Amino acid sequence: GAVVSQHPSWVICKSGTSVKIECRSLDFQATTMFWYRQFPKQSLMLMATSNEGSKATYEQGVEKDKFLINHASLTLSTLTVTSAHPEDSSFYICSAEPIFKDSYNSPLHFGNGTRLTVT
Amino acid sequence: AQKVTQAQTEISVVEKEDVTLDCVYETRDTTYYLFWYKQPPSGELVFLIRRNSFDEQNEISGRYSWNFQKSTSSFNFTITASQVVDSAVYFCALNTGGFKTIFGAGTRLFVKA
């Protein structure tokens, strides 16, 4: 149980184009999903918290207009990197927290990540 | 402020050796949760353990064991008789009850055959 699917697993795009990454909770509902960014050999940095039916909450320093987040249903959140540039190349990972937890603060369930390369 | 420190950037061991990965955390909250995750070369994050602040019992799961000591704010992870498949980056993480989980910088473990 508690499977999170992330698509695509990797994508190469040209500078200036936009890329959409999907995060789906396959066997549970999630009002909250999280988007992390990981540069090579670095830790995960939370970019934003995606809330179903409302605006995402962005961490300090993350550009809202560049990283558009939509959480239209209880099982899907999308991250769109707009007008991508080479410095946006990174590993993006989503995670989701089930609405109904077996105990407080269940582990975050992570997708397999999306490796974005902007040329 | 909340913080997770994994002072060991990289560790290299020979197969069958025991290895301990250190994690020191900082928080003023009395209720918090600590996690360990494994990230193999393929990139996905694999949950290993969750421990809440009221449970200081050490835990053993196969070759893995965890030592939680509130007195030193540490939550160390030991792999006994390491194997090549244990090679990965290991992250310690802290959550204080809100939605934000803070990750340490990670420790890259190399296990040589």
Side-chain angles (χ1 to χ4, degrees):
Chain A
V3 176
V4 176
S5 172
Q6 194 171 332
H7 178 81
S9 55
W10 60 271
V11 58
I12 301 173
C13 71
K14 291 186 177 179
S15 189
T17 61
S18 295
V19 173
K20 181 186 283 188
I21 303 170
E22 292 187 348
C23 180
R24 291 181 187 273
S25 54
L26 297 185
D27 54 357
F28 65 94
Q29 293 183 322
T31 53
T32 306
M33 293 186 178
F34 307 90
W35 288 97
Y36 291 83
R37 182 173 183 176
Q38 185 181 29
F39 288 108
K41 296 191 176 183
Q42 293 191 25
S43 188
L44 284 75
M45 298 301 296
L46 180 65
M47 297 175 65
T49 302
S50 170
N51 305 297
E52 188 268 337
S54 65
K55 291 183 180 180
T57 304
Y58 290 81
E59 294 299 300
Q60 193 172 10
V62 177
E63 299 175 59
K64 301 178 185 181
D65 296 332
K66 182 164 189 62
F67 299 101
L68 300 179
I69 291 174
N70 184 283
H71 194 153
S73 77
L74 288 172
T75 59
L76 173 64
S77 175
T78 60
L79 168 68
T80 301
V81 183
T82 62
S83 187
H85 290 285
E87 57 265 30
D88 298 323
S89 298
S90 188
F91 192 59
Y92 294 87
I93 307 176
C94 73
S95 71
E97 191 165 87
I99 294 176
F100 302 108
K101 306 170 197 175
D102 55 357
S103 61
Y104 187 70
N105 231 332
S106 302
L108 292 173
H109 302 285
F110 285 91
N112 285 351
T114 297
R115 191 163 302 283
L116 170 64
T117 302
V118 184
T119 60
Chain B
Q2 288 135 17
K3 189 177 177 182
V4 177
T5 301
Q6 293 180 257
Q8 303 149 309
T9 306
E10 291 187 358
I11 300 176
S12 185
V13 299
V14 176
E15 210 170 19
K16 297 184 184 177
E17 283 185 15
D18 298 346
V19 58
T20 295
L21 310 181
D22 298 331
C23 174
V24 174
Y25 61 93
E26 292 177 32
T27 179
R28 293 180 181 172
D29 291 87
T30 55
T31 300
Y32 53 89
Y33 298 81
L34 295 163
F35 302 83
W36 276 95
Y37 288 88
K38 175 182 180 180
Q39 187 177 39
S42 48
E44 76 275 17
L45 279 156
V46 178
F47 165 76
L48 296 178
I49 190 172
R50 176 194 70 223
R51 175 64 76 231
N52 73 53
S53 53
F54 299 111
D55 182 3
E56 280 195 79
Q57 276 192 334
N58 292 328
E59 180 154 340
I60 298 175
S61 176
R63 295 185 297 108
Y64 296 169
S65 62
W66 291 269
N67 184 352
F68 177 28
Q69 293 199 346
K70 288 178 74 172
S71 59
T72 56
S73 297
S74 64
F75 186 42
N76 297 337
F77 171 34
T78 298
I79 302 174
T80 303
S82 59
Q83 300 175 2
V84 173
V85 293
D86 295 327
S87 298
V89 180
Y90 291 86
F91 290 100
C92 180
L94 167 70
N95 183 297
T96 56
F99 284 127
K100 189 169 181 177
T101 297
I102 298 169
F103 286 81
T107 297
R108 187 174 296 272
L109 175 64
F110 295 98
V111 182
K112 304 174 190 173

